[in-house]
Amino acid sequence: MRQALQEAEQAAAAGEVPVGAVVMRTETGEIIVRAQNRMRRDGDATAHAEVLALREAARIAGDARLGEFTLVVTLEPCAMCAGAIVLARIGALAFGAWDEKAGMCGSVGDIVRHARLNHRPAVQGGVLESENRALLQQFFAERR
């Protein structure tokens, strides 16, 4: 999570909402991808850290199915990202701050554990929650 938090800090420095993600091999902990929000820089509403990380992990793995990997992200994924996580069949998801406005991994809804979907990753929320939340709160306080 600390590596994802570093990515989030870099995103904030670039004027992006500070969300960072890493994809690691579940068995070894080796990080294969680092990503951060790039929506403003890329002019792309889908350029969330999670989506960018999953795309690059699939390219590196040579397979769109990522069951041997864990996605670590600083903020609870939104509906788009939660859907991408399910479609990528990621093995596990760990996230930092809960998102009471748009989180779809237990807050507003729970796409990643929906009983009717064909894949449900292991999920752990609230990892380094206070640090991740503080970065987001500081970012938005500076803009208001």
Side-chain angles (χ1 to χ4, degrees):
M1 183 60 77
R2 296 226 182 266
Q3 298 296 314
L5 195 50
Q6 287 178 357
E7 291 296 319
E9 290 166 351
Q10 291 174 14
E16 298 279 356
V17 174
V19 177
V22 298
V23 175
M24 63 184 206
R25 295 183 191 281
T26 303
E27 195 169 300
T28 65
E30 172 196 7
I31 294 173
I32 65 161
V33 173
R34 300 168 191 273
Q36 56 191 247
N37 273 2
R38 294 194 54 90
M39 291 174 51
R40 287 178 171 236
R41 289 174 281 180
D42 292 357
D44 179 356
T46 69
H48 290 198
E50 301 96 303
V51 170
L52 298 174
L54 292 171
R55 286 177 185 160
E56 183 64 8
R59 188 190 68 73
I60 290 169
D63 193 346
R65 294 185 177 190
L66 302 171
E68 300 173 14
F69 297 93
T70 297
L71 173 66
V72 180
V73 62
T74 58
L75 179 64
E76 180 182 3
C78 69
M80 174 184 69
C81 294
I85 290 164
V86 171
L87 293 172
R89 291 173 173 77
I90 199 86
L93 165 67
F95 64 86
W98 293 89
D99 185 349
E100 298 299 328
K101 293 182 181 177
M104 293 304 274
C105 299
S107 289
V108 175
D110 201 346
I111 291 172
V112 295
R113 291 179 280 215
H114 194 286
R116 294 186 69 186
L117 296 178
N118 65 338
H119 177 75
R120 288 177 292 286
V123 178
Q124 180 179 358
V127 179
L128 298 180
E129 182 176 9
S130 60
E131 292 175 50
N132 287 297
R133 186 181 322 108
L135 179 61
L136 287 157
Q137 288 173 337
Q138 177 184 351
F139 177 82
F140 287 112
E142 290 172 358
R143 277 145 185 81
R144 290 186 179 126

